[in-house]
Amino acid sequence: MVDTDSPGNAPQGIRARARAELLADVSRIARSHLAESGAAQLSVRAIARELGLASSALYRYFPSRDALLTQLIIEAYDELGESVELAAAAVDRDDLGQRFGSICHAVRDWARANPHEFALIYGSPVIGYAAPDDTIASALRVARVLIDLAADVPADGLVLRTPGPLNNTLVEQLTAANVLAGVDADLDVLVLGVELWAQLFGFVSFELFGSFKNAFEPADALFDHQIDMAIRAFGLA
């Protein structure tokens, strides 16, 4: 491994740190612009101007608004994914109910602390922008944690069980999810987990985007009740 801080490599080390600091500044300013005016109004030129740089200095890193959006999306998915991974790892792996609750709270806590970033990745699509494949690995981090949990849930304890055979298309999709996560979760458990996953993110979206206004404010009690019902559905109560 090359030591970039050794005397012979000092220029490279300095340049690497300067680049990292610049990209951190770009991300910080871009997120403030995201909060103020929304994703559609992001501008590499405006960020360069705020940094006191020529636009060309940033275009080498972000040749377009879409490139900047992609970076912000990856950062948001990674931050949320890391929060969920840490929350799941912080509790006893055998306490499946507590693991599920910790995951749910991590999603909600991160979203409430970063509402504009949550809206960027789970809100309305930005017109004219198509997320590249670069975002997929980061986007899947939360899903992998939930599928990993589903693999540990005993199928014979499910309270909500599919009344008949699963649709063939659904079987294919669930099997692909298992392969993606490298686990072998029971498909009845997994389909319930996917539905509860959608319910979790739907709840957070309702809360952040004002659907609970004047009805469930604060929404803490309702959220705790939803988690409790999900744990019971899994047969983990």
Side-chain angles (χ1 to χ4, degrees), residues 37-156:
S37 53
Q41 302 303 315
L42 280 177
S43 165
V44 177
R45 188 180 299 274
I47 292 172
R49 186 165 53 247
E50 188 165 334
L51 284 168
L53 299 173
S55 300
S56 58
L58 290 189
Y59 281 135
R60 61 184 294 194
Y61 301 113
F62 304 105
S64 66
R65 181 210 65 170
D66 285 4
L68 178 59
L69 265 177
T70 296
Q71 182 59 34
L72 293 179
I73 288 169
I74 289 172
E75 287 178 3
Y77 276 131
D78 279 338
E79 286 182 17
L80 175 57
E82 183 179 17
S83 295
V84 169
E85 290 161 1
L86 291 173
V91 301
D92 184 347
R93 185 174 178 85
D94 293 332
D95 191 337
L96 302 180
Q98 187 178 7
R99 269 172 68 192
F100 181 77
S102 295
I103 290 167
C104 292
H105 278 288
V107 169
R108 183 179 182 230
D109 290 347
W110 183 88
R112 294 206 298 176
N114 303 275
H116 304 290
E117 289 78 5
F118 182 88
L120 177 64
I121 55 179
Y122 291 111
S124 299
V126 179
I127 295 175
Y129 172 79
D133 290 348
D134 294 359
T135 62
I136 293 175
S138 299
L140 289 175
R141 289 178 68 170
V142 173
R144 289 180 187 278
V145 174
L146 288 165
I147 295 173
D148 184 51
L149 170 67
D152 290 339
V153 174
D156 57 3

Side-chain angles (χ1 to χ4, degrees), residues 27-43:
S27 178
R28 172 179 54 79
I29 294 172
R31 289 171 79 152
S32 70
H33 288 193
L34 181 69
E36 293 166 4
S37 53
Q41 302 303 315
L42 280 177
S43 165

